[in-house]
Amino acid sequence: MASMLSLFTICHLFISIALYACSAGATDSLFAYQFITNLNPLVSSNHNFVIGFFGYYSSTLRVCKTYLGLGYRSVDSRAIVWVGNELNPLGCFTALALTKEGFYVKDIVLGTTVWIHKPNRTVPSPVLKLLDSGNLVFGDSSNLTAGEYLWQSFDHPLHTLLPGMKLGWDKKTGIDRSMRSWRTEGDPAPGDYLLRLDLGDSGQLPQLVLEKNQRMQSRWGPWDGEKFSGGYALMDSHAFRPIFHSDTDAIFFTFEAKEDSSLILSLNPDGKLQFLRWDNNATNFWDEVKTLNMAICDQYSTCGPYGVCTDGEFPCECPDGFTAVSPEEWDKMNFTEGCRRNTSLNYTDNDVFVKNTGLKLPDKATYWGMLYPQDCEQKCLNERSCMAYTNFNINGNGSKCVVWLGDLLDMRRSRIAGNDIFIRMANGKPGVIAPENSIAPENSIGALLQGTDVIAYDSSDLAAATDNFSLSNKIGHGGFGNVYKGVLENGVEIAVKKQDVALRQGVEEFENEVKLIANLQHRNLTKLLGYCIHGIEKFVVYEFMANKSLDKVIFDAARRATVAWPTRLNIIKGIARGLVYMHHDSRLTVIHRDLKASNVLLDSEMTPKISDFGLAREFEDDVEVKTHRVAGTYGYMSPEYMQAGHYSTKSDVFSFGILTLEIVSGQRNSIYRHPTYDIGLVGYAWKIWNEGNAIELLDPLIDKPDDLDEVLGCIHVGILCCQRRSQDRPSMVQVVSLLEENEMLKFNCVPREPYFYKETSQSSRSRESMNGLSITEFTGRS
Ligand SMILES: *[C@@H]1O[C@H](CO)[C@@H](O)[C@H](O)[C@H]1NC(C)=O
Ligand SMILES: *[C@@H]1O[C@H](CO)[C@@H](O)[C@H](O)[C@H]1NC(C)=O
Ligand SMILES: *[C@@H]1O[C@H](CO)[C@@H](O)[C@H](O)[C@H]1NC(C)=O
Ligand SMILES: *[C@@H]1O[C@H](CO)[C@@H](O)[C@H](O)[C@H]1NC(C)=O
Ligand SMILES: *[C@@H]1O[C@H](CO)[C@@H](O)[C@H](O)[C@H]1NC(C)=O
Ligand SMILES: *[C@@H]1O[C@H](CO)[C@@H](O)[C@H](O)[C@H]1NC(C)=O
Ligand SMILES: *[C@@H]1O[C@H](CO)[C@@H](O)[C@H](O)[C@H]1NC(C)=O
Ligand SMILES: *[C@@H]1O[C@H](CO)[C@@H](O)[C@H](O)[C@H]1NC(C)=O
Ligand SMILES: *[C@@H]1O[C@H](CO)[C@@H](O)[C@H](O)[C@H]1NC(C)=O
Ligand SMILES: CC(=O)N[C@H]1CO[C@H](CO)[C@@H](O)[C@@H]1O
């Protein structure tokens, strides 16, 4: 077995004495006919970098393997960032020498010489200098200070990239720099992994590629002019700034350290690519800052052809209009076969291109030159094998036309680092498109409401009922304006929502709500009494709800104690029934999209009524649709809606699950923090559910009911409704039968881990909450 000796102190003591007379002191430069050993290493002037020797001593073979090493602060093998003779280790007695012919390492005992650099001509006044950047440079003293090097270690990276060290190609030197892992920790011989900059088709689509014995493991890119497509981990961060340079003389990637100059990019023997930082306590030498290939989606083509990797609990999905080739294997997490189109291609002008946003671009792209986007599309359409295209808009007049001639491999969802890609699809029946712009013109509201018992009120009656919309009568505000309490002449209490004319979005929501809710009649939905259009002013009139909105009750420390378990269970059941009606029993399928505590109103008997249909949509069938305008409320939105804009009845089911857990616990999901576990309300519910302590979720401010199964059943339903994959969630009909027939504990469906925010997603969490949400609130306010 080989044991490692970091310093050959004894050996080097011997040769150092022999060579002392002509060796250099502790300096950063070596001149002609000087030597270095570990007793007089080269040290950069900032003392950060050292050149000396490190290696192994094998006691069985009684041989040394000694390498010239450039290390951070020391020449311990763990500190090494560059090696001079990794292919040709020498014996115990080794020195580095500089002559006019170049420089070499020499085994003093055997006389073996390994040249590190030997130019074709002699250099009159050679210098080898270790710069503060960690670059070891060689040149003639007359030219060295001007930065003219005949050789530099930065051109020969091994397993480490220091800040400023380039990965890529240089026309002048003909060098293509790549990184190569060590064979094992401590053995710098070439290992299995190679990181290189692949220039792509025509040198136009550079991407970083990690290979193991020439097989692709991971890739970052291609570079789209701003970023490596899908390479979120390589984007500008607090620790470093990535630099990509491309012109006719050179194409390379490098980085600049921001806070800590000891930052390095390292490729370890197991193929881990990591940013590391020097631990000044020197206990572990390097600390991890960021690992670039840790996630399952970092592995090449995890989801097979046309599959999209998503970094979620269930890692793979298919793009719109595609399904898994073998759904059974897919459910078993075997994604090798990927996805296929629902409708096969026609290969004529009849095919269309469907835009998919936020995707890491697939591998094996082809560059078709600078073209206008419409020309790029037409050219792709004319080519049978062309399955997708994209444009890199590099300058205004035109753009890089990039196409894929064959299957799309290695896509990944990445909202921030992703790109738009246009995928070729058969132009069959057009998919269901959310009717976001199909709002009826104002004057047709009356026509729409014909045949309903909705009243057209007079604006003067509403003004009188609400004291001319006085502030003292204001009870809340919803998506499109304020809500006022009023009393009609006949004594009927009403709630009047007045459209805020300043909100453009309000116009759509107003009409949408009137149109939708007028046709919905259920005891657990708010009842629309009437509307009023007066010039540009618009009003909707509802029945008044004495107990305001649910959030004012269950999240309020004082009031929530008064809402006992039977009332809470009743509220949960009532909301569920209202949703069954919307999803399944009314003429159309209505998806609410913004179900939350503040949109559930309570009448004087605490009967819940779902309100605020400003974002709701109706469909003829139970469908899943995609929108580019994700609106809803943070804390209640399902992952597929929040991340991809997909919504369906199952996204309402998800919101219902959150709401159920909130009602049981009296805690608001969006701001919930458990003192010990930062896993959110759903995560906490899941944790104690698994530990058999789910009852602890029950609001401690109320009495435990005799029948704990009711509480556990609601928690069970809540967790089932919060499943990450929409198909794993029950329908509202199933939910009601679980709740009503108290069958939940007999229900043999064991939930998988639900979707919840984990500790690590804190930053994305706040980003998401900022991102394009329209928070609607129609609530009573005291
Ligand atoms: C040095 O000479 C060798 C053979 O004489 C030749 O192959 C090589 O290209 C030369 N190198 C340079 C940098 O000129
Ligand atoms: C120094 O640089 C000059 C100009 O580039 C060049 O002509 C000369 O050969 C260089 N000297 C050495 C020793 O390389
Ligand atoms: C280094 O040591 C100091 C003092 O012992 C300690 O406070 C600090 O946390 C250590 N830093 C690291 C990165 O371990
Ligand atoms: C494609 O087929 C799958 C499974 O049959 C279906 O769930 C999906 O809605 C279909 N998509 C479209 C756009 O037709
Ligand atoms: C994955 O699925 C493919 C085909 O569907 C099959 O050939 C292969 O054996 C499966 N792999 C595993 C590990 O089950
Ligand atoms: C392709 O489209 C044409 C024109 O709509 C149609 O006549 C033809 O049947 C389609 N072929 C296939 C294979 O779908
Ligand atoms: C765009 O402009 C650049 C510089 O003016 C020019 O070189 C290039 O040919 C133009 N590209 C197109 C597609 O017109
Ligand atoms: C109500 O207020 C409007 C202006 O805000 C005013 O013009 C109108 O006279 C008021 N009507 C009553 C009945 O107070
Ligand atoms: C609900 O309203 C009724 C009638 O106004 C009232 O008696 C009751 O206390 C309210 N309940 C809660 C929990 O506030
Ligand atoms: C018609 C209907 O299903 N109404 C339900 C509304 O909610 C209450 C609970 O608060 C149920 O008891 C009703 O059955």
Side-chain angles (χ1 to χ4, degrees):
M1 285 305 294
S3 67
M4 205 173 70
L5 286 183
S6 55
L7 303 171
F8 296 125
T9 315
I10 300 166
C11 311
H12 284 103
L13 191 60
F14 178 80
I15 54 168
S16 318
I17 293 166
L19 300 170
Y20 187 74
C22 50
S23 68
T27 142
D28 63 358
S29 300
L30 197 65
F31 299 96
Y33 308 115
Q34 291 183 328
F35 295 80
I36 57 166
T37 68
N38 270 349
L39 285 191
N40 59 337
L42 275 189
V43 179
S44 64
S45 68
N46 62 4
H47 297 282
N48 276 345
F49 295 96
V50 185
I51 290 210
F53 295 91
F54 72 101
Y56 294 100
Y57 174 70
S58 163
S59 49
T60 45
L61 298 175
R62 291 174 185 259
V63 292
C64 285
K65 279 189 172 187
T66 305
Y67 303 92
L68 177 73
L70 196 167
Y72 192 79
R73 303 265 169 95
S74 82
V75 285
D76 185 288
S77 75
R78 288 169 293 177
I80 298 295
V81 297
W82 178 80
V83 182
N85 56 325
E86 76 282 1
L87 297 172
N88 302 294
L90 294 175
C92 301
F93 301 87
T94 307
L96 167 70
L98 176 67
T99 69
K100 292 185 179 189
E101 277 73 46
F103 59 102
Y104 56 86
V105 280
K106 182 165 188 165
D107 186 316
I108 306 292
V109 175
L110 300 174
T112 323
T113 295
V114 175
W115 285 91
I116 294 174
H117 181 64
K118 191 177 186 196
N120 282 357
R121 59 193 169 88
T122 57
V123 180
S125 174
V127 185
L128 196 58
K129 184 174 181 184
L130 183 54
L131 305 181
D132 283 351
S133 59
N135 194 3
L136 179 67
V137 299
F138 168 76
D140 190 85
S141 64
S142 58
N143 289 353
L144 203 68
T145 43
E148 274 179 42
Y149 311 137
L150 296 172
W151 178 96
Q152 53 181 320
S153 64
F154 269 26
D155 279 341
H156 305 275
L158 287 170
H159 69 331
T160 302
L161 210 62
L162 295 168
M165 229 166 148
K166 296 163 184 169
L167 211 57
W169 170 84
D170 189 318
K171 188 177 173 188
K172 205 163 77 199
T173 57
I175 289 175
D176 187 6
R177 310 173 199 89
S178 56
M179 278 167 78
R180 168 69 84 171
S181 67
W182 284 15
R183 210 159 64 83
T184 60
E185 297 289 348
D187 180 354
D192 291 339
Y193 292 90
L194 180 74
L195 179 75
R196 62 188 180 86
L197 187 73
D198 180 303
L199 298 186
D201 186 36
S202 314
Q204 295 288 332
L205 298 162
Q207 57 182 358
L208 285 175
V209 165
L210 179 67
E211 292 168 338
K212 180 182 187 184
N213 300 324
Q214 273 135 46
R215 291 193 52 159
M216 174 89 85
Q217 300 295 304
S218 299
R219 62 182 193 100
W220 295 267
W223 181 260
D224 69 0
E226 287 176 345
K227 60 180 185 302
F228 286 108
S229 180
Y232 182 67
L234 276 172
M235 291 175 77
D236 207 337
S237 73
H238 63 93
F240 61 89
R241 187 170 77 88
I243 296 169
F244 188 83
H245 175 94
S246 171
D247 63 23
T248 49
D249 290 335
I251 303 180
F252 61 81
F253 164 77
T254 182
F255 69 96
E256 190 180 279
K258 277 189 181 165
E259 285 164 1
D260 190 336
S261 62
S262 74
L263 193 77
I264 63 169
L265 180 64
S266 160
L267 180 59
N268 83 11
D270 303 328
K272 248 192 224 163
L273 186 62
Q274 299 176 304
F275 279 102
L276 305 174
R277 179 178 47 209
W278 188 253
D279 173 2
N280 281 316
N281 294 357
T283 45
N284 299 314
F285 290 88
W286 297 101
D287 281 342
E288 178 186 340
V289 173
K290 185 185 272 185
T291 299
L292 299 186
N293 52 346
M294 196 170 46
I296 184 166
C297 291
D298 293 320
Q299 289 164 27
Y300 184 66
S301 198
T302 296
C303 299
Y306 297 100
V308 177
C309 200
T310 65
D311 290 297
E313 270 103 306
F314 194 83
C316 294
E317 65 182 34
C318 295
D320 279 356
F322 285 77
T323 35
V325 172
S326 57
E328 305 81 39
E329 290 297 329
W330 193 266
D331 283 340
K332 284 189 261 168
M333 307 284 264
N334 174 2
F335 306 111
T336 48
E337 291 199 87
C339 306
R340 61 172 160 74
R341 289 179 177 78
N342 281 10
T343 311
S344 49
L345 292 172
N346 189 305
Y347 296 113
T348 63
D349 270 3
N350 217 15
D351 290 341
V352 294
F353 287 90
V354 173
K355 180 174 174 177
N356 286 255
T357 57
L359 290 184
K360 171 185 177 180
L361 294 173
D363 194 21
K364 299 186 168 61
T366 299
Y367 175 61
W368 270 358
M370 300 293 284
L371 287 177
Y372 290 101
Q374 60 270 35
D375 297 339
C376 185
E377 177 171 316
Q378 189 58 45
K379 220 177 141 186
C380 187
L381 198 59
N382 295 343
E383 168 71 48
R384 271 183 79 97
S385 65
C386 189
M387 291 301 150
Y389 77 92
T390 192
N391 280 100
F392 293 159
N393 205 356
I394 283 171
N395 46 35
N397 59 353
S399 49
K400 272 188 171 183
C401 173
V402 178
V403 300
W404 284 267
L405 306 174
D407 289 348
L408 307 183
L409 291 175
D410 197 38
M411 290 188 284
R412 176 180 193 168
R413 194 161 293 293
S414 175
R415 282 187 309 138
I416 293 166
N419 293 72
D420 292 346
I421 177 169
F422 297 83
I423 301 178
R424 184 183 199 130
M425 304 291 284
N427 187 12
K429 277 178 292 167
V432 183
I433 293 160
E436 284 179 332
N437 300 316
S438 63
I439 303 296
E442 297 161 29
N443 54 11
S444 66
I445 281 204
L448 272 169
L449 300 181
Q450 261 177 9
T452 69
D453 54 3
V454 172
I455 302 166
Y457 285 95
D458 199 278
S459 66
S460 59
D461 291 345
L462 298 182
T466 59
D467 250 353
N468 213 359
F469 301 100
S470 72
L471 222 51
S472 60
N473 278 342
K474 186 177 151 191
I475 52 174
H477 64 95
F480 53 85
N482 288 332
V483 185
Y484 300 85
K485 181 184 175 177
V487 186
L488 291 173
E489 257 183 353
N490 60 8
V492 172
E493 289 182 318
I494 54 170
V496 183
K497 203 193 264 191
K498 182 170 185 251
Q499 190 209 319
D500 184 343
V501 291
L503 290 176
R504 194 197 64 81
Q505 182 193 337
V507 180
E508 288 177 20
E509 290 190 10
F510 173 85
E511 286 162 5
N512 190 52
E513 170 146 323
V514 172
K515 197 174 65 156
L516 254 168
I517 200 169
N519 289 307
L520 296 176
Q521 309 235 347
H522 188 271
R523 190 154 171 260
N524 302 111
L525 304 185
T526 36
K527 184 165 164 54
L528 178 70
L529 297 176
Y531 72 100
C532 167
I533 298 178
H534 178 68
I536 58 164
E537 288 185 316
K538 301 190 184 99
F539 309 89
V540 228
V541 181
Y542 303 93
E543 53 182 343
F544 179 72
M545 292 290 132
N547 280 312
K548 301 181 180 162
S549 56
L550 181 60
D551 62 321
K552 295 284 190 290
V553 177
I554 52 159
F555 300 141
D556 181 278
R559 286 186 79 194
R560 80 185 220 233
T562 69
V563 189
W565 173 252
T567 311
R568 295 194 192 204
L569 180 61
N570 214 37
I571 292 172
I572 292 171
K573 286 179 177 176
I575 299 168
R577 285 192 166 266
L579 284 171
V580 167
Y581 172 76
M582 289 168 58
H583 288 176
H584 305 284
D585 295 348
S586 70
R587 194 171 47 83
L588 297 167
T589 297
V590 177
I591 302 173
H592 189 285
R593 291 210 294 168
D594 199 17
L595 182 69
K596 56 180 170 180
S598 60
N599 281 343
V600 173
L601 305 182
L602 299 167
D603 71 6
S604 58
E605 277 134 36
M606 299 295 275
T607 304
K609 310 222 174 197
I610 299 168
S611 80
D612 212 319
F613 288 75
L615 294 179
R617 295 287 179 265
E618 56 186 355
F619 300 95
E620 302 214 344
D621 300 303
D622 194 354
V623 290
E624 181 179 88
V625 289
K626 186 177 165 98
T627 177
H628 293 299
R629 206 190 103 201
V630 174
T633 301
Y634 169 67
Y636 291 95
M637 284 190 281
S638 64
E640 73 275 9
Y641 182 44
M642 196 158 66
Q643 290 160 8
H646 291 277
Y647 65 92
S648 64
T649 53
K650 292 295 183 70
S651 39
D652 280 354
V653 170
F654 184 90
S655 308
F656 174 80
I658 299 283
L659 191 49
T660 300
L661 297 175
E662 290 185 333
I663 295 170
V664 170
S665 63
Q667 297 294 331
R668 210 188 270 273
N669 179 45
S670 60
I671 57 168
Y672 177 80
R673 285 280 181 284
H674 186 274
T676 320
Y677 316 105
D678 190 7
I679 48 180
L681 184 61
V682 181
Y684 178 61
W686 173 242
K687 177 177 159 58
I688 57 178
W689 169 267
N690 280 314
E691 293 166 356
N693 296 326
I695 196 69
E696 282 176 20
L697 196 70
L698 183 66
D699 192 339
L701 299 186
I702 59 171
D703 293 335
K704 277 198 181 125
D706 296 335
D707 186 359
L708 291 184
D709 283 354
E710 285 178 355
V711 181
L712 296 175
C714 287
I715 298 171
H716 189 163
V717 166
I719 292 173
L720 280 175
C721 291
C722 293
Q723 294 294 297
R724 186 180 211 291
R725 301 198 310 163
S726 58
Q727 62 266 44
D728 293 339
R729 298 173 206 147
S731 69
M732 285 316 297
V733 173
Q734 289 170 318
V735 166
V736 165
S737 77
L738 291 172
L739 291 170
E740 296 287 334
E741 285 143 45
N742 205 8
E743 266 194 352
M744 35 244 186
L745 296 179
K746 290 178 239 148
F747 190 56
N748 60 6
C749 175
V750 179
R752 303 185 195 198
E753 181 180 84
Y755 177 73
F756 58 89
Y757 303 105
K758 303 235 170 80
E759 202 159 359
T760 49
S761 53
Q762 287 295 303
S763 53
S764 63
R765 188 167 163 172
S766 51
R767 213 174 27 246
E768 260 149 16
S769 67
M770 304 302 295
N771 204 351
L773 303 191
S774 90
I775 310 271
T776 58
E777 257 186 343
F778 171 29
T779 59
R781 181 184 283 175
S782 31

